[in-house]
Amino acid sequence: MPTTPAESRSDPLAPALRELLDVFERELAEVQFPGVDRTVLHDLAAQVESEGQRVETLRQQLDEAQSILSDAQTKLVRAAELGLAYARVYAAEDAALLNRLSSLHVGSEPAPKRRKLEVAAEGEGSVRLPAKRGRKPKARPEVDETGT
């Protein structure tokens, strides 16, 4: 019996079947059992091999078609990412359209979320990021001059 997918692809007949066919071709060539003899087994084995070749041909065609599909999907995603970027710039002043576009992610991974900028208090004239989320680091205990 085949142990790996590669072996099952290359030979549709298991080694034990091949051995039995050989026995019927040699030692049992003149023996006939009800519904089973050398000719019946030979014809069925030929059919299995023929269908195995057909399956292998179709498998290769499927692999090629999947490769072509993958390439086409990659091209579409790249074009869609570019189109989405242009659409976001175009929609800069249309809040409804911009809101709709902001939830779209056409690539394999969603775009990283950006923190919104906040304008500092009037008079400071600078832009600051909002505070980072998460736990603050633990405060280290203060050590006095004696080392305790």
Side-chain angles (χ1 to χ4, degrees):
M1 183 167 244
T3 57
T4 65
E7 288 178 32
S8 66
R9 286 184 182 186
S10 61
D11 190 359
L13 293 177
L17 285 173
R18 290 234 178 254
E19 185 68 27
L20 182 62
L21 288 169
D22 188 53
V23 168
F24 270 87
E25 288 292 326
R26 296 172 192 261
E27 291 88 357
L28 299 177
E30 302 301 320
V31 178
Q32 291 186 343
F33 299 108
V36 180
D37 63 9
R38 177 179 66 103
T39 305
V40 169
L41 291 174
H42 180 270
D43 291 347
L44 290 172
Q47 180 183 0
V48 168
E49 288 177 331
S50 173
E51 292 301 320
Q53 287 177 343
R54 191 175 129 213
V55 166
E56 187 58 33
T57 300
L58 292 172
R59 185 175 284 127
Q60 289 172 355
Q61 290 174 353
L62 177 61
D63 289 345
E64 183 179 331
Q66 285 177 324
S67 176
I68 292 169
L69 172 62
S70 179
D71 290 346
Q73 287 172 326
T74 299
K75 289 176 184 176
L76 173 60
V77 167
R78 286 182 183 156
E81 287 173 336
L82 183 60
L84 181 58
Y86 281 130
R88 285 180 176 153
V89 170
Y90 177 83
E93 296 189 18
D94 183 344
L97 180 58
L98 190 58
N99 186 39
R100 184 171 179 197
L101 293 173
S102 68
S103 64
L104 294 178
H105 304 286
V106 295
S108 57
E109 296 179 13
K113 296 209 174 199
R114 296 183 182 171
R115 296 184 291 165
K116 292 183 179 179
L117 296 176
E118 294 179 358
V119 177
E122 199 170 314
E124 294 176 20
S126 62
V127 176
R128 60 185 163 91
L129 292 175
K132 291 183 180 179
R133 297 174 54 178
R135 293 184 182 182
K136 292 183 179 182
K138 291 183 178 180
R140 295 183 182 182
E142 293 184 22
V143 179
D144 62 9
E145 293 176 11
T146 62
T148 58

